[in-house]
Amino acid sequence: PVIPATSEAEEDLRVDGRGCEDYRCVEVETDVVSNTSGSARVKLGHTDILVGVKAEMGTPKLEKPNEGYLEFFVDCSASATPEFEGRGGDDLGTEIANTLYRIFNNKSSVDLKTLCISPREHCWVLYVDVLLLECGGNLFDAISIAVKAALFNTRIPRVRVLEDEEGSKDIELSDDPYDCIRLSVENVPCIVTLCKIGCRHVVDATLQEEACSLASLLVSVTSKGVVTCMRKVGKGSLDPESIFEMMETGKRVGKVLHASLQSVLHKEESLGPKRQKVGFLG
């Protein structure tokens, strides 16, 4: 399935014919890796991202005894760009993982209490692995879309805690593969990156446009258009008026992006086994 490019076309024109607020076509496919709890692949122009989610049992953190938690790992494949050879992609991988921790570090993104099995003793830990297969600009947006799609696709086995007469607890996993917990991703934000080029700002910048931009604003936006966090990147400066305008654009574009993604995910799921799978090697 393909998300249509966000259309807020003004009279401005970019090299590839898009307006300032237009995304390239986004291709989304879920359930692409068989040995995961959930997975998704997203292609945004020449940017290609694969995300796998693995649910494993762990111990709740001391400060949050009745919640599970998410762990993020980002692998910048050397085949994505020559810059990632050796340890070249490590810094970027850490930066992306830290950004993901930030946007998920609030109670409204994911209900982590649903991941708790037994307070202070057992919980589900979701290991979210992000693999960069190809870099064609606008990495953060593509990764946030892929993470949301993979979490939507995630199915966690339902478990029961059985206690015997002596007070010792036993955990029983359901044998039924359809008896599972689904996470609500309604409040999971997507990142909208706005690149300042000259006196204007653009969304979904290509590599060439990113090279022309001295400063960018990463805006984490929910489906209701609420900004949950922001981050400025690049060596250039941004004046308060520009930041306000970029935030407003981010909210507007983010709401359309969420709506398109949700409709694609629900449509794909409604097809069930009938849908044609391409797979990440397709």
Side-chain angles (χ1 to χ4, degrees):
V2 172
I3 297 178
T6 316
S7 75
E8 278 280 334
E10 301 169 34
E11 289 176 355
D12 48 285
L13 205 62
R14 288 154 76 175
V15 176
D16 52 11
R18 290 181 290 150
C20 283
E21 296 183 15
D22 292 344
Y23 267 82
R24 292 166 288 183
C25 254
V26 188
E27 290 179 37
V28 180
E29 188 183 3
T30 58
D31 200 19
V32 287
V33 185
S34 57
N35 60 342
T36 58
S37 307
S39 60
R41 186 195 187 184
V42 166
K43 290 174 99 171
L44 175 58
H46 289 296
T47 298
D48 197 351
I49 309 292
L50 181 68
V51 173
V53 180
K54 196 86 185 220
E56 291 185 11
M57 264 188 216
T59 309
K61 293 181 178 178
L62 285 171
E63 65 274 18
K64 293 174 181 175
N66 59 345
E67 293 181 7
Y69 55 96
L70 282 74
E71 293 279 5
F72 294 99
F73 299 95
V74 181
D75 182 7
C76 302
S77 166
S79 60
T81 171
E83 294 166 33
F84 292 166
E85 282 183 22
R87 299 184 64 83
D90 288 2
D91 290 346
L92 179 62
T94 305
E95 185 189 347
I96 294 167
N98 289 341
T99 303
L100 290 170
Y101 278 119
R102 269 193 72 186
I103 69 169
F104 280 90
N105 189 27
N106 68 66
K107 289 181 179 176
S108 60
S109 289
V110 174
D111 183 9
L112 296 174
K113 287 181 179 172
T114 59
L115 299 177
C116 183
I117 299 165
S118 175
R120 287 186 290 279
E121 292 175 349
H122 303 287
C123 70
W124 287 109
V125 182
L126 299 184
Y127 293 96
V128 182
D129 289 300
V130 179
L131 177 61
L132 277 60
L133 298 169
E134 194 176 351
C135 298
N138 202 20
L139 279 179
F140 286 92
D141 297 27
I143 287 167
S144 70
I145 293 167
V147 168
K148 181 165 181 168
L151 288 172
F152 174 84
N153 181 241
T154 297
R155 285 156 175 78
I156 302 160
R158 197 175 291 280
V159 294
R160 286 192 306 156
V161 180
L162 308 171
E163 196 168 340
D164 62 17
E165 293 166 4
E166 292 163 16
S168 63
K169 292 178 180 175
D170 217 4
I171 290 176
E172 187 181 82
L173 253 77
S174 173
D175 294 334
D176 183 358
Y178 295 101
D179 186 19
C180 54
I181 302 166
R182 298 284 300 274
L183 283 174
S184 168
V185 297
E186 190 185 344
N187 295 320
V188 171
C190 281
I191 296 172
V192 177
T193 305
L194 300 114
C195 291
K196 188 85 189 281
I197 299 174
C199 59
R200 304 205 67 137
H201 52 265
V202 300
V203 302
D204 188 24
T206 60
L207 283 176
Q208 291 87 346
E209 287 171 332
E210 284 179 357
C212 299
S213 173
L214 290 175
S216 301
L217 197 67
L218 271 64
V219 185
S220 166
V221 189
T222 68
S223 57
K224 294 181 176 71
V226 177
V227 174
T228 61
C229 73
M230 278 195 314
R231 186 169 154 249
K232 182 247 171 197
V233 291
K235 294 175 183 154
S237 59
L238 293 171
D239 59 90
E241 195 178 335
S242 292
I243 292 171
F244 178 75
E245 283 176 12
M246 290 162 101
M247 279 177 65
E248 290 304 304
T249 303
K251 287 190 220 173
R252 192 166 56 245
V253 170
K255 281 170 81 172
V256 180
L257 183 65
H258 275 289
S260 302
L261 178 60
Q262 280 298 121
S263 73
V264 164
L265 292 174
H266 288 299
K267 184 182 172 187
E268 192 181 63
E269 189 170 55
S270 68
L271 292 171
K274 291 185 287 183
R275 75 178 175 95
Q276 189 181 354
K277 287 192 182 182
V278 177
F280 74 96
L281 294 173

